[in-house]
PDB file of all heavy atoms in Angstrom:
ATOM      1  N   ALA A   1     -91.411 -17.603 100.352  1.00 96.00           N
ATOM      2  CA  ALA A   1     -92.291 -16.752  99.561  1.00 96.00           C
ATOM      3  C   ALA A   1     -93.509 -16.440 100.426  1.00 96.00           C
ATOM      4  O   ALA A   1     -94.044 -17.325 101.097  1.00 96.00           O
ATOM      5  CB  ALA A   1     -92.713 -17.466  98.282  1.00 96.00           C
ATOM      6  N   VAL A   2     -93.924 -15.179 100.453  1.00 97.00           N
ATOM      7  CA  VAL A   2     -95.018 -14.747 101.325  1.00 97.00           C
ATOM      8  C   VAL A   2     -96.201 -14.313 100.467  1.00 97.00           C
ATOM      9  O   VAL A   2     -96.036 -13.540  99.515  1.00 97.00           O
ATOM     10  CB  VAL A   2     -94.577 -13.590 102.240  1.00 97.00           C
ATOM     11  CG1 VAL A   2     -95.736 -13.119 103.121  1.00 97.00           C
ATOM     12  CG2 VAL A   2     -93.395 -14.015 103.106  1.00 97.00           C
ATOM     13  N   HIS A   3     -97.374 -14.817 100.805  1.00 97.00           N
ATOM     14  CA  HIS A   3     -98.612 -14.422 100.117  1.00 97.00           C
ATOM     15  C   HIS A   3     -99.564 -13.821 101.148  1.00 97.00           C
ATOM     16  O   HIS A   3     -99.925 -14.475 102.131  1.00 97.00           O
ATOM     17  CB  HIS A   3     -99.261 -15.629  99.437  1.00 97.00           C
ATOM     18  CG  HIS A   3    -100.605 -15.331  98.833  1.00 97.00           C
ATOM     19  ND1 HIS A   3    -100.760 -14.457  97.770  1.00 97.00           N
ATOM     20  CD2 HIS A   3    -101.849 -15.774  99.143  1.00 97.00           C
ATOM     21  CE1 HIS A   3    -102.042 -14.386  97.448  1.00 97.00           C
ATOM     22  NE2 HIS A   3    -102.731 -15.170  98.264  1.00 97.00           N
ATOM     23  N   ILE A   4     -99.936 -12.579 100.943  1.00 97.00           N
ATOM     24  CA  ILE A   4    -100.901 -11.891 101.797  1.00 97.00           C
ATOM     25  C   ILE A   4    -102.196 -11.783 101.001  1.00 97.00           C
ATOM     26  O   ILE A   4    -102.219 -11.190  99.913  1.00 97.00           O
ATOM     27  CB  ILE A   4    -100.387 -10.486 102.187  1.00 97.00           C
ATOM     28  CG1 ILE A   4     -99.061 -10.617 102.935  1.00 97.00           C
ATOM     29  CG2 ILE A   4    -101.413  -9.746 103.027  1.00 97.00           C
ATOM     30  CD1 ILE A   4     -98.298  -9.319 103.048  1.00 97.00           C
ATOM     31  N   GLU A   5    -103.240 -12.366 101.521  1.00 97.00           N
ATOM     32  CA  GLU A   5    -104.499 -12.463 100.784  1.00 97.00           C
ATOM     33  C   GLU A   5    -105.629 -11.751 101.532  1.00 97.00           C
ATOM     34  O   GLU A   5    -106.031 -12.163 102.616  1.00 97.00           O
ATOM     35  CB  GLU A   5    -104.863 -13.936 100.586  1.00 97.00           C
ATOM     36  CG  GLU A   5    -106.136 -14.186  99.795  1.00 97.00           C
ATOM     37  CD  GLU A   5    -106.416 -15.673  99.672  1.00 97.00           C
ATOM     38  OE1 GLU A   5    -105.536 -16.389  99.135  1.00 97.00           O
ATOM     39  OE2 GLU A   5    -107.484 -16.117 100.127  1.00 97.00           O
ATOM     40  N   ASN A   6    -106.084 -10.634 100.957  1.00 97.00           N
ATOM     41  CA  ASN A   6    -107.266  -9.930 101.469  1.00 97.00           C
ATOM     42  C   ASN A   6    -107.139  -9.600 102.956  1.00 97.00           C
ATOM     43  O   ASN A   6    -108.098  -9.718 103.718  1.00 97.00           O
ATOM     44  CB  ASN A   6    -108.525 -10.776 101.229  1.00 97.00           C
ATOM     45  CG  ASN A   6    -109.786  -9.936 101.251  1.00 97.00           C
ATOM     46  OD1 ASN A   6    -109.804  -8.807 100.778  1.00 97.00           O
ATOM     47  ND2 ASN A   6    -110.862 -10.489 101.809  1.00 97.00           N
ATOM     48  N   CYS A   7    -105.947  -9.173 103.372  1.00 97.00           N
ATOM     49  CA  CYS A   7    -105.705  -8.881 104.785  1.00 97.00           C
ATOM     50  C   CYS A   7    -106.031  -7.421 105.107  1.00 97.00           C
ATOM     51  O   CYS A   7    -105.407  -6.492 104.584  1.00 97.00           O
ATOM     52  CB  CYS A   7    -104.247  -9.173 105.153  1.00 97.00           C
ATOM     53  SG  CYS A   7    -103.907 -10.918 105.405  1.00 97.00           S
ATOM     54  N   GLY A   8    -106.997  -7.233 105.976  1.00 96.00           N
ATOM     55  CA  GLY A   8    -107.326  -5.924 106.505  1.00 96.00           C
ATOM     56  C   GLY A   8    -107.312  -5.991 108.019  1.00 96.00           C
ATOM     57  O   GLY A   8    -107.222  -7.067 108.611  1.00 96.00           O
ATOM     58  N   LYS A   9    -107.385  -4.823 108.683  1.00 97.00           N
ATOM     59  CA  LYS A   9    -107.406  -4.808 110.136  1.00 97.00           C
ATOM     60  C   LYS A   9    -108.299  -3.689 110.637  1.00 97.00           C
ATOM     61  O   LYS A   9    -108.060  -2.509 110.372  1.00 97.00           O
ATOM     62  CB  LYS A   9    -105.989  -4.624 110.700  1.00 97.00           C
ATOM     63  CG  LYS A   9    -105.938  -4.684 112.229  1.00 97.00           C
ATOM     64  CD  LYS A   9    -106.359  -6.044 112.750  1.00 97.00           C
ATOM     65  CE  LYS A   9    -106.352  -6.106 114.265  1.00 97.00           C
ATOM     66  NZ  LYS A   9    -106.786  -7.442 114.766  1.00 97.00           N
ATOM     67  N   THR A  10    -109.361  -4.094 111.351  1.00 96.00           N
ATOM     68  CA  THR A  10    -110.274  -3.156 111.985  1.00 96.00           C
ATOM     69  C   THR A  10    -110.224  -3.410 113.482  1.00 96.00           C
ATOM     70  O   THR A  10    -110.428  -4.542 113.936  1.00 96.00           O
ATOM     71  CB  THR A  10    -111.707  -3.343 111.475  1.00 96.00           C
ATOM     72  OG1 THR A  10    -111.712  -3.254 110.041  1.00 96.00           O
ATOM     73  CG2 THR A  10    -112.630  -2.278 112.049  1.00 96.00           C
ATOM     74  N   PHE A  11    -109.948  -2.365 114.250  1.00 93.00           N
ATOM     75  CA  PHE A  11    -109.826  -2.526 115.697  1.00 93.00           C
ATOM     76  C   PHE A  11    -111.204  -2.479 116.367  1.00 93.00           C
ATOM     77  O   PHE A  11    -112.211  -2.140 115.732  1.00 93.00           O
ATOM     78  CB  PHE A  11    -108.893  -1.471 116.267  1.00 93.00           C
ATOM     79  CG  PHE A  11    -107.460  -1.672 115.843  1.00 93.00           C
ATOM     80  CD1 PHE A  11    -106.856  -0.812 114.934  1.00 93.00           C
ATOM     81  CD2 PHE A  11    -106.717  -2.738 116.333  1.00 93.00           C
ATOM     82  CE1 PHE A  11    -105.544  -0.999 114.536  1.00 93.00           C
ATOM     83  CE2 PHE A  11    -105.402  -2.941 115.942  1.00 93.00           C
ATOM     84  CZ  PHE A  11    -104.820  -2.073 115.043  1.00 93.00           C
ATOM     85  N   ALA A  12    -111.237  -2.803 117.644  1.00 91.00           N
ATOM     86  CA  ALA A  12    -112.497  -2.953 118.365  1.00 91.00           C
ATOM     87  C   ALA A  12    -113.341  -1.684 118.364  1.00 91.00           C
ATOM     88  O   ALA A  12    -114.577  -1.749 118.396  1.00 91.00           O
ATOM     89  CB  ALA A  12    -112.209  -3.398 119.805  1.00 91.00           C
ATOM     90  N   ASP A  13    -112.697  -0.534 118.302  1.00 93.00           N
ATOM     91  CA  ASP A  13    -113.453   0.725 118.308  1.00 93.00           C
ATOM     92  C   ASP A  13    -113.965   1.113 116.925  1.00 93.00           C
ATOM     93  O   ASP A  13    -114.545   2.176 116.744  1.00 93.00           O
ATOM     94  CB  ASP A  13    -112.604   1.868 118.876  1.00 93.00           C
ATOM     95  CG  ASP A  13    -111.363   2.163 118.027  1.00 93.00           C
ATOM     96  OD1 ASP A  13    -111.138   1.466 117.010  1.00 93.00           O
ATOM     97  OD2 ASP A  13    -110.605   3.090 118.382  1.00 93.00           O
ATOM     98  N   GLY A  14    -113.745   0.230 115.938  1.00 92.00           N
ATOM     99  CA  GLY A  14    -114.225   0.486 114.581  1.00 92.00           C
ATOM    100  C   GLY A  14    -113.217   1.145 113.664  1.00 92.00           C
ATOM    101  O   GLY A  14    -113.476   1.316 112.470  1.00 92.00           O
ATOM    102  N   THR A  15    -112.050   1.511 114.191  1.00 92.00           N
ATOM    103  CA  THR A  15    -111.016   2.152 113.370  1.00 92.00           C
ATOM    104  C   THR A  15    -110.423   1.132 112.395  1.00 92.00           C
ATOM    105  O   THR A  15    -109.972   0.058 112.801  1.00 92.00           O
ATOM    106  CB  THR A  15    -109.891   2.702 114.256  1.00 92.00           C
ATOM    107  OG1 THR A  15    -110.423   3.648 115.169  1.00 92.00           O
ATOM    108  CG2 THR A  15    -108.806   3.358 113.395  1.00 92.00           C
ATOM    109  N   GLN A  16    -110.424   1.482 111.114  1.00 94.00           N
ATOM    110  CA  GLN A  16    -109.819   0.615 110.107  1.00 94.00           C
ATOM    111  C   GLN A  16    -108.385   1.060 109.877  1.00 94.00           C
ATOM    112  O   GLN A  16    -108.127   2.072 109.244  1.00 94.00           O
ATOM    113  CB  GLN A  16    -110.594   0.643 108.794  1.00 94.00           C
ATOM    114  CG  GLN A  16    -110.099  -0.387 107.785  1.00 94.00           C
ATOM    115  CD  GLN A  16    -110.832  -0.337 106.457  1.00 94.00           C
ATOM    116  OE1 GLN A  16    -110.940   0.722 105.838  1.00 94.00           O
ATOM    117  NE2 GLN A  16    -111.334  -1.491 106.007  1.00 94.00           N
ATOM    118  N   ALA A  17    -107.445   0.283 110.419  1.00 95.00           N
ATOM    119  CA  ALA A  17    -106.025   0.613 110.270  1.00 95.00           C
ATOM    120  C   ALA A  17    -105.495   0.189 108.917  1.00 95.00           C
ATOM    121  O   ALA A  17    -104.550   0.784 108.398  1.00 95.00           O
ATOM    122  CB  ALA A  17    -105.218  -0.046 111.378  1.00 95.00           C
ATOM    123  N   LEU A  18    -106.106  -0.860 108.340  1.00 97.00           N
ATOM    124  CA  LEU A  18    -105.633  -1.386 107.067  1.00 97.00           C
ATOM    125  C   LEU A  18    -106.824  -1.889 106.267  1.00 97.00           C
ATOM    126  O   LEU A  18    -107.583  -2.749 106.752  1.00 97.00           O
ATOM    127  CB  LEU A  18    -104.639  -2.527 107.299  1.00 97.00           C
ATOM    128  CG  LEU A  18    -104.017  -3.182 106.066  1.00 97.00           C
ATOM    129  CD1 LEU A  18    -103.122  -2.189 105.329  1.00 97.00           C
ATOM    130  CD2 LEU A  18    -103.215  -4.423 106.456  1.00 97.00           C
ATOM    131  N   ALA A  19    -107.000  -1.348 105.074  1.00 97.00           N
ATOM    132  CA  ALA A  19    -108.039  -1.841 104.171  1.00 97.00           C
ATOM    133  C   ALA A  19    -107.603  -3.200 103.626  1.00 97.00           C
ATOM    134  O   ALA A  19    -106.397  -3.469 103.515  1.00 97.00           O
ATOM    135  CB  ALA A  19    -108.251  -0.860 103.027  1.00 97.00           C
ATOM    136  N   PRO A  20    -108.539  -4.095 103.280  1.00 96.00           N
ATOM    137  CA  PRO A  20    -108.161  -5.405 102.752  1.00 96.00           C
ATOM    138  C   PRO A  20    -107.176  -5.270 101.593  1.00 96.00           C
ATOM    139  O   PRO A  20    -107.419  -4.534 100.634  1.00 96.00           O
ATOM    140  CB  PRO A  20    -109.496  -6.004 102.297  1.00 96.00           C
ATOM    141  CG  PRO A  20    -110.497  -5.366 103.199  1.00 96.00           C
ATOM    142  CD  PRO A  20    -110.007  -3.954 103.404  1.00 96.00           C
ATOM    143  N   ALA A  21    -106.058  -5.966 101.713  1.00 96.00           N
ATOM    144  CA  ALA A  21    -104.981  -5.852 100.721  1.00 96.00           C
ATOM    145  C   ALA A  21    -104.419  -7.229 100.429  1.00 96.00           C
ATOM    146  O   ALA A  21    -104.370  -8.101 101.294  1.00 96.00           O
ATOM    147  CB  ALA A  21    -103.874  -4.936 101.234  1.00 96.00           C
ATOM    148  N   SER A  22    -103.977  -7.417  99.193  1.00 97.00           N
ATOM    149  CA  SER A  22    -103.327  -8.657  98.776  1.00 97.00           C
ATOM    150  C   SER A  22    -101.960  -8.330  98.199  1.00 97.00           C
ATOM    151  O   SER A  22    -101.796  -7.308  97.531  1.00 97.00           O
ATOM    152  CB  SER A  22    -104.177  -9.396  97.737  1.00 97.00           C
ATOM    153  OG  SER A  22    -105.413  -9.815  98.302  1.00 97.00           O
ATOM    154  N   LEU A  23    -100.995  -9.211  98.461  1.00 96.00           N
ATOM    155  CA  LEU A  23     -99.617  -8.923  98.077  1.00 96.00           C
ATOM    156  C   LEU A  23     -98.832 -10.216  98.012  1.00 96.00           C
ATOM    157  O   LEU A  23     -98.978 -11.083  98.864  1.00 96.00           O
ATOM    158  CB  LEU A  23     -99.001  -7.991  99.129  1.00 96.00           C
ATOM    159  CG  LEU A  23     -97.610  -7.422  98.906  1.00 96.00           C
ATOM    160  CD1 LEU A  23     -97.576  -6.549  97.671  1.00 96.00           C
ATOM    161  CD2 LEU A  23     -97.188  -6.611 100.134  1.00 96.00           C
ATOM    162  N   ASP A  24     -98.003 -10.354  96.980  1.00 97.00           N
ATOM    163  CA  ASP A  24     -97.109 -11.501  96.851  1.00 97.00           C
ATOM    164  C   ASP A  24     -95.667 -11.032  96.961  1.00 97.00           C
ATOM    165  O   ASP A  24     -95.258 -10.090  96.269  1.00 97.00           O
ATOM    166  CB  ASP A  24     -97.317 -12.218  95.512  1.00 97.00           C
ATOM    167  CG  ASP A  24     -98.576 -13.069  95.514  1.00 97.00           C
ATOM    168  OD1 ASP A  24     -98.684 -13.946  96.385  1.00 97.00           O
ATOM    169  OD2 ASP A  24     -99.453 -12.848  94.656  1.00 97.00           O
ATOM    170  N   ILE A  25     -94.902 -11.693  97.822  1.00 96.00           N
ATOM    171  CA  ILE A  25     -93.499 -11.354  98.044  1.00 96.00           C
ATOM    172  C   ILE A  25     -92.666 -12.564  97.647  1.00 96.00           C
ATOM    173  O   ILE A  25     -92.849 -13.666  98.176  1.00 96.00           O
ATOM    174  CB  ILE A  25     -93.251 -10.978  99.514  1.00 96.00           C
ATOM    175  CG1 ILE A  25     -94.190  -9.827  99.913  1.00 96.00           C
ATOM    176  CG2 ILE A  25     -91.789 -10.582  99.728  1.00 96.00           C
ATOM    177  CD1 ILE A  25     -94.287  -9.618 101.405  1.00 96.00           C
ATOM    178  N   VAL A  26     -91.768 -12.363  96.711  1.00 95.00           N
ATOM    179  CA  VAL A  26     -90.969 -13.449  96.152  1.00 95.00           C
ATOM    180  C   VAL A  26     -89.911 -13.901  97.151  1.00 95.00           C
ATOM    181  O   VAL A  26     -89.365 -13.095  97.911  1.00 95.00           O
ATOM    182  CB  VAL A  26     -90.306 -12.986  94.836  1.00 95.00           C
ATOM    183  CG1 VAL A  26     -89.435 -14.090  94.240  1.00 95.00           C
ATOM    184  CG2 VAL A  26     -91.364 -12.548  93.833  1.00 95.00           C
ATOM    185  N   SER A  27     -89.607 -15.182  97.142  1.00 94.00           N
ATOM    186  CA  SER A  27     -88.551 -15.710  97.987  1.00 94.00           C
ATOM    187  C   SER A  27     -87.232 -14.983  97.717  1.00 94.00           C
ATOM    188  O   SER A  27     -86.813 -14.834  96.569  1.00 94.00           O
ATOM    189  CB  SER A  27     -88.376 -17.214  97.723  1.00 94.00           C
ATOM    190  OG  SER A  27     -87.254 -17.718  98.393  1.00 94.00           O
ATOM    191  N   GLY A  28     -86.589 -14.501  98.769  1.00 92.00           N
ATOM    192  CA  GLY A  28     -85.322 -13.796  98.632  1.00 92.00           C
ATOM    193  C   GLY A  28     -85.449 -12.318  98.316  1.00 92.00           C
ATOM    194  O   GLY A  28     -84.442 -11.614  98.223  1.00 92.00           O
ATOM    195  N   GLU A  29     -86.650 -11.814  98.179  1.00 94.00           N
ATOM    196  CA  GLU A  29     -86.877 -10.414  97.821  1.00 94.00           C
ATOM    197  C   GLU A  29     -86.832  -9.529  99.065  1.00 94.00           C
ATOM    198  O   GLU A  29     -87.231  -9.935 100.154  1.00 94.00           O
ATOM    199  CB  GLU A  29     -88.242 -10.277  97.150  1.00 94.00           C
ATOM    200  CG  GLU A  29     -88.625  -8.846  96.780  1.00 94.00           C
ATOM    201  CD  GLU A  29     -89.989  -8.760  96.108  1.00 94.00           C
ATOM    202  OE1 GLU A  29     -90.886  -9.575  96.436  1.00 94.00           O
ATOM    203  OE2 GLU A  29     -90.168  -7.873  95.256  1.00 94.00           O
ATOM    204  N   THR A  30     -86.349  -8.296  98.889  1.00 94.00           N
ATOM    205  CA  THR A  30     -86.501  -7.272  99.913  1.00 94.00           C
ATOM    206  C   THR A  30     -87.632  -6.343  99.477  1.00 94.00           C
ATOM    207  O   THR A  30     -87.518  -5.646  98.467  1.00 94.00           O
ATOM    208  CB  THR A  30     -85.213  -6.454 100.111  1.00 94.00           C
ATOM    209  OG1 THR A  30     -84.166  -7.316 100.577  1.00 94.00           O
ATOM    210  CG2 THR A  30     -85.421  -5.352 101.137  1.00 94.00           C
ATOM    211  N   LEU A  31     -88.712  -6.372 100.220  1.00 97.00           N
ATOM    212  CA  LEU A  31     -89.881  -5.552  99.930  1.00 97.00           C
ATOM    213  C   LEU A  31     -89.977  -4.457 100.981  1.00 97.00           C
ATOM    214  O   LEU A  31     -89.918  -4.735 102.181  1.00 97.00           O
ATOM    215  CB  LEU A  31     -91.152  -6.398  99.950  1.00 97.00           C
ATOM    216  CG  LEU A  31     -92.419  -5.632  99.539  1.00 97.00           C
ATOM    217  CD1 LEU A  31     -92.602  -5.702  98.023  1.00 97.00           C
ATOM    218  CD2 LEU A  31     -93.649  -6.173 100.246  1.00 97.00           C
ATOM    219  N   VAL A  32     -90.115  -3.221 100.542  1.00 97.00           N
ATOM    220  CA  VAL A  32     -90.205  -2.092 101.463  1.00 97.00           C
ATOM    221  C   VAL A  32     -91.637  -1.567 101.494  1.00 97.00           C
ATOM    222  O   VAL A  32     -92.248  -1.310 100.450  1.00 97.00           O
ATOM    223  CB  VAL A  32     -89.245  -0.959 101.050  1.00 97.00           C
ATOM    224  CG1 VAL A  32     -89.428   0.255 101.959  1.00 97.00           C
ATOM    225  CG2 VAL A  32     -87.800  -1.434 101.110  1.00 97.00           C
ATOM    226  N   LEU A  33     -92.170  -1.419 102.711  1.00 97.00           N
ATOM    227  CA  LEU A  33     -93.463  -0.774 102.926  1.00 97.00           C
ATOM    228  C   LEU A  33     -93.178   0.677 103.279  1.00 97.00           C
ATOM    229  O   LEU A  33     -92.605   0.969 104.335  1.00 97.00           O
ATOM    230  CB  LEU A  33     -94.238  -1.462 104.047  1.00 97.00           C
ATOM    231  CG  LEU A  33     -94.488  -2.967 103.872  1.00 97.00           C
ATOM    232  CD1 LEU A  33     -95.199  -3.532 105.099  1.00 97.00           C
ATOM    233  CD2 LEU A  33     -95.301  -3.249 102.621  1.00 97.00           C
ATOM    234  N   LEU A  34     -93.553   1.589 102.396  1.00 97.00           N
ATOM    235  CA  LEU A  34     -93.204   3.009 102.519  1.00 97.00           C
ATOM    236  C   LEU A  34     -94.463   3.850 102.634  1.00 97.00           C
ATOM    237  O   LEU A  34     -95.416   3.647 101.878  1.00 97.00           O
ATOM    238  CB  LEU A  34     -92.399   3.447 101.287  1.00 97.00           C
ATOM    239  CG  LEU A  34     -92.091   4.938 101.135  1.00 97.00           C
ATOM    240  CD1 LEU A  34     -91.119   5.403 102.218  1.00 97.00           C
ATOM    241  CD2 LEU A  34     -91.519   5.231  99.745  1.00 97.00           C
ATOM    242  N   GLY A  35     -94.445   4.806 103.546  1.00 95.00           N
ATOM    243  CA  GLY A  35     -95.576   5.713 103.648  1.00 95.00           C
ATOM    244  C   GLY A  35     -95.472   6.574 104.892  1.00 95.00           C
ATOM    245  O   GLY A  35     -94.631   6.333 105.770  1.00 95.00           O
ATOM    246  N   PRO A  36     -96.330   7.583 105.004  1.00 94.00           N
ATOM    247  CA  PRO A  36     -96.320   8.459 106.175  1.00 94.00           C
ATOM    248  C   PRO A  36     -96.850   7.741 107.414  1.00 94.00           C
ATOM    249  O   PRO A  36     -97.409   6.640 107.326  1.00 94.00           O
ATOM    250  CB  PRO A  36     -97.242   9.610 105.757  1.00 94.00           C
ATOM    251  CG  PRO A  36     -98.178   8.987 104.764  1.00 94.00           C
ATOM    252  CD  PRO A  36     -97.370   7.963 104.024  1.00 94.00           C
ATOM    253  N   SER A  37     -96.697   8.363 108.562  1.00 91.00           N
ATOM    254  CA  SER A  37     -97.201   7.788 109.806  1.00 91.00           C
ATOM    255  C   SER A  37     -98.707   7.555 109.706  1.00 91.00           C
ATOM    256  O   SER A  37     -99.436   8.389 109.164  1.00 91.00           O
ATOM    257  CB  SER A  37     -96.900   8.717 110.981  1.00 91.00           C
ATOM    258  OG  SER A  37     -95.506   8.872 111.147  1.00 91.00           O
ATOM    259  N   GLY A  38     -99.147   6.403 110.224  1.00 91.00           N
ATOM    260  CA  GLY A  38    -100.566   6.107 110.244  1.00 91.00           C
ATOM    261  C   GLY A  38    -101.131   5.563 108.959  1.00 91.00           C
ATOM    262  O   GLY A  38    -102.363   5.472 108.821  1.00 91.00           O
ATOM    263  N   CYS A  39    -100.278   5.168 108.012  1.00 94.00           N
ATOM    264  CA  CYS A  39    -100.774   4.712 106.707  1.00 94.00           C
ATOM    265  C   CYS A  39    -101.070   3.215 106.671  1.00 94.00           C
ATOM    266  O   CYS A  39    -101.591   2.704 105.675  1.00 94.00           O
ATOM    267  CB  CYS A  39     -99.784   5.067 105.604  1.00 94.00           C
ATOM    268  SG  CYS A  39     -98.252   4.097 105.660  1.00 94.00           S
ATOM    269  N   GLY A  40    -100.712   2.476 107.737  1.00 94.00           N
ATOM    270  CA  GLY A  40    -101.019   1.055 107.795  1.00 94.00           C
ATOM    271  C   GLY A  40     -99.836   0.131 107.576  1.00 94.00           C
ATOM    272  O   GLY A  40     -99.982  -1.089 107.641  1.00 94.00           O
ATOM    273  N   LYS A  41     -98.646   0.678 107.344  1.00 95.00           N
ATOM    274  CA  LYS A  41     -97.502  -0.178 107.003  1.00 95.00           C
ATOM    275  C   LYS A  41     -97.069  -1.058 108.170  1.00 95.00           C
ATOM    276  O   LYS A  41     -96.771  -2.242 107.979  1.00 95.00           O
ATOM    277  CB  LYS A  41     -96.337   0.662 106.472  1.00 95.00           C
ATOM    278  CG  LYS A  41     -95.837   1.772 107.376  1.00 95.00           C
ATOM    279  CD  LYS A  41     -94.816   2.639 106.665  1.00 95.00           C
ATOM    280  CE  LYS A  41     -94.209   3.676 107.614  1.00 95.00           C
ATOM    281  NZ  LYS A  41     -95.214   4.674 108.051  1.00 95.00           N
ATOM    282  N   THR A  42     -97.030  -0.503 109.381  1.00 94.00           N
ATOM    283  CA  THR A  42     -96.655  -1.312 110.539  1.00 94.00           C
ATOM    284  C   THR A  42     -97.733  -2.336 110.864  1.00 94.00           C
ATOM    285  O   THR A  42     -97.422  -3.465 111.280  1.00 94.00           O
ATOM    286  CB  THR A  42     -96.365  -0.416 111.752  1.00 94.00           C
ATOM    287  OG1 THR A  42     -95.214   0.395 111.472  1.00 94.00           O
ATOM    288  CG2 THR A  42     -96.083  -1.243 113.000  1.00 94.00           C
TER     289      THR A  42
END
């Protein structure tokens, strides 16, 4: 089971690739991160 708590990512140049986000993924679940290029999923 995966718990993501308040995870954001700001690079050295100040670019915010990911706003702080929280997410719970159940054991055995397939969770899909869907969105256009540059949306923060990778």
Side-chain angles (χ1 to χ4, degrees):
V2 178
H3 174 65
I4 300 165
E5 182 181 302
N6 201 37
C7 281
K9 183 63 182 179
T10 306
F11 292 109
D13 63 359
T15 301
Q16 188 182 52
L18 181 66
S22 296
L23 186 62
D24 284 303
I25 304 165
V26 179
S27 172
E29 178 180 32
T30 297
L31 185 88
V32 176
L33 303 177
L34 172 68
S37 298
C39 70
K41 56 188 186 293
T42 295

